[in-house]
Amino acid sequence: MANKSHFNSGLKSLNRMNREGRKHSSFVNTQEINETYHFLSIYDSIKLLPKIPDNSVQLILLDPPYNLDLDTWDSFENYLDWAKQWLDQIYRILKPEGNCIIFGGFQYQDLKKGDLLEILHYSRHNTKLRFTNLIIWYYKNGMSAHRYFANRHEEFVWLTKTKKYYFDLDSVRTPYDEKSKVLALKDKRLNPVNVEKGKNPTNVWEIGRLNGNSKERVGHPTQKPLEIIRRLVKSLSYPGSIVLDFFAGSGTTGRVCIEEARNSILIDNDPKLSEYFNKHIKTVDTSLHDNKPKIYFDSGIEKIIQFLTNDIRN
Ligand SMILES: C[S@@+](CC[C@H](N)C(=O)[O-])C[C@H]1O[C@@H](n2cnc3c(N)ncnc32)[C@H](O)[C@@H]1O
């Protein structure tokens, strides 16, 4: 049977729009950003989320606990009963053009604990979120195994609120090497303008996991690599928009938001978030964007709600 991509009418109409100089309905005209705002809140997300206004956030980026007993925050009686409480809030909080990423893995199913399969199944059947992509994070460094194939990937799902979700592919294209570029320019199926911009990075991302002695490390046991978070922040949100991470851990998301001129709201019920985030700040790459970040440590919920409400009004 023919693959669905053989009938990719969406791609054809996008190419036609580009040729005619028209913009897709998800296009956002971004402005120069000189100042960004970052709120850190030590709070239980389950209690805080119902207070966040409707249609207020561009990107929700989540790396939730999976009941793996990795730490004290990682143990639940009934995982899905707990997870439903935050999953049910995502659709309401996202802007119509908003995106949501949930990190996870499928490798733990035998433990009958929580995993990304359960999250995806629940969100497909019980929420209005649209399942847009499954991204495989492939890495070469990992544990060895003898009774099964050693695991070398984790996954994350990309969920959207509507078909008009924001996606800036150009901001994350990967350059062709000289040889493959010559070949790609000869390929009649490829648009030469896009070849010049670089390749679609596809939904398999080869990015190393952080070693114990990695320079990026700030001390959180499950810290995610900057390169992954940056690719997501750049492609699924735009400068000046609002990114929410309510399982913030060390605040990797907020750090990338400072560097990429997005606003961020970071929530974690572990007070160590501030300590980790202070370490992130010390190594922020100011050459990426010279916006002036205003950081509110231990921000009250009222301040966050006021910021979101003002943004909706503007
Ligand atoms: C997997 S870690 C996130 C790591 C993060 N991506 C990073 O790069 O540093 C999950 C975090 O969720 C937090 N957490 C667990 N339950 C929570 C809750 N109910 N409310 C807020 N945070 C919670 C934990 O304290 C932990 O730091």
Side-chain angles (χ1 to χ4, degrees), residues 43-46 63-65 73 82 220 222-224 246-252 267-270:
Y43 217 84
D44 180 351
S45 294
I46 306 292
D63 181 12
W73 43 260
W82 172 78
H220 193 284
T222 60
Q223 192 183 329
K224 288 286 171 293
F246 56 80
F247 297 118
S250 65
T252 313
I267 303 160
D268 202 293
N269 57 4
D270 184 345

Side-chain angles (χ1 to χ4, degrees), residues 7-22:
F7 306 104
N8 200 339
S9 55
L11 180 63
K12 282 184 189 157
S13 72
L14 257 186
N15 282 339
R16 195 169 49 243
M17 279 179 150
N18 283 342
R19 276 197 304 275
E20 293 166 2
R22 288 184 295 131

Side-chain angles (χ1 to χ4, degrees), residues 59-86:
L59 172 61
I60 299 179
L61 222 161
L62 300 175
D63 181 12
Y66 276 105
N67 215 10
L68 301 172
D69 296 324
L70 290 177
D71 208 326
T72 46
W73 43 260
D74 202 23
S75 174
F76 306 89
E77 283 264 303
N78 181 325
Y79 183 76
L80 199 56
D81 273 357
W82 172 78
K84 278 175 193 173
Q85 299 176 77
W86 51 267

Side-chain angles (χ1 to χ4, degrees), residues 88-224:
D88 285 343
Q89 295 289 333
I90 293 173
Y91 183 88
R92 182 186 68 73
I93 293 173
L94 280 181
K95 290 189 172 205
E97 66 276 17
N99 295 298
C100 172
I101 291 287
I102 307 179
F103 285 87
F106 296 161
Q107 68 270 44
Y108 306 112
Q109 58 272 45
D110 196 40
L111 298 176
K112 306 279 188 290
K113 296 194 169 194
D115 75 1
L116 194 60
L117 271 181
E118 278 195 65
I119 298 275
L120 187 55
H121 187 272
Y122 179 81
S123 55
R124 285 186 105 175
H125 296 284
N126 301 280
T127 75
K128 291 194 222 159
L129 291 163
R130 301 172 66 254
F131 175 35
T132 303
N133 245 169
L134 172 74
I135 300 156
I136 309 292
W137 170 24
Y138 162 65
Y139 40 80
K140 288 188 173 146
N141 46 345
M143 307 268 275
S144 58
H146 302 285
R147 290 280 298 141
Y148 54 92
F149 300 110
N151 191 64
R152 289 295 176 270
H153 64 92
E154 285 170 37
E155 298 75 28
F156 33 104
V157 291
W158 171 13
L159 306 168
T160 54
K161 181 159 179 170
T162 70
K163 284 187 182 168
K164 292 189 180 176
Y165 57 86
Y166 177 85
F167 181 45
D168 183 2
L169 174 61
D170 287 350
S171 68
V172 293
R173 285 181 185 272
T174 48
Y176 283 88
D177 59 60
E178 280 307 308
K179 220 166 151 191
S180 21
K181 188 170 169 186
V182 173
L183 291 174
L185 284 169
K186 286 183 188 156
D187 188 336
K188 292 275 178 289
R189 292 166 303 174
L190 299 176
N191 179 344
V193 178
N194 287 342
V195 173
E196 289 299 342
K197 286 183 198 163
K199 284 184 273 195
N200 183 320
T202 79
N203 65 346
V204 180
W205 298 3
E206 184 184 336
I207 295 173
R209 291 209 297 179
L210 296 186
N211 294 322
N213 57 358
S214 159
K215 278 194 190 143
E216 284 183 28
R217 280 231 174 258
V218 296
H220 193 284
T222 60
Q223 192 183 329
K224 288 286 171 293

